[in-house]
Amino acid sequence: KWDYTRNVIIEFPTYEKALEWYNSDLYKPVKELRQKNSEGNLIIIKGVKWNYLMKGEKNGKRNVSVS
């Protein structure tokens, strides 16, 4: 069940780079602040092919549909 109305997608070059960022000393204070002040789920997905999800671009922004 996904009870949240806001979704944030951050693209990384690799799964390993995403984990490196999440566990980094640079992100640590931001992560602690986020965890204390918000509710949500975080998932790191390996191997999503964005070209299959793209619905087109408008004004330089990607319109992404994830189901």
Side-chain angles (χ1 to χ4, degrees), residues 7-14 18 21 27 34 42-45 50:
N7 296 300
V8 177
I9 299 172
I10 304 173
E11 184 176 1
F12 289 89
T14 66
W21 163 78
Y27 181 60
R34 181 184 55 79
L42 178 116
I43 56 174
I44 299 177
I45 301 171
W50 284 109

Side-chain angles (χ1 to χ4, degrees), residues 29-41:
V30 177
K31 180 170 47 174
E32 290 173 356
L33 184 64
R34 181 184 55 79
Q35 290 172 337
K36 288 178 185 176
N37 294 286
S38 66
E39 292 181 13
N41 294 321

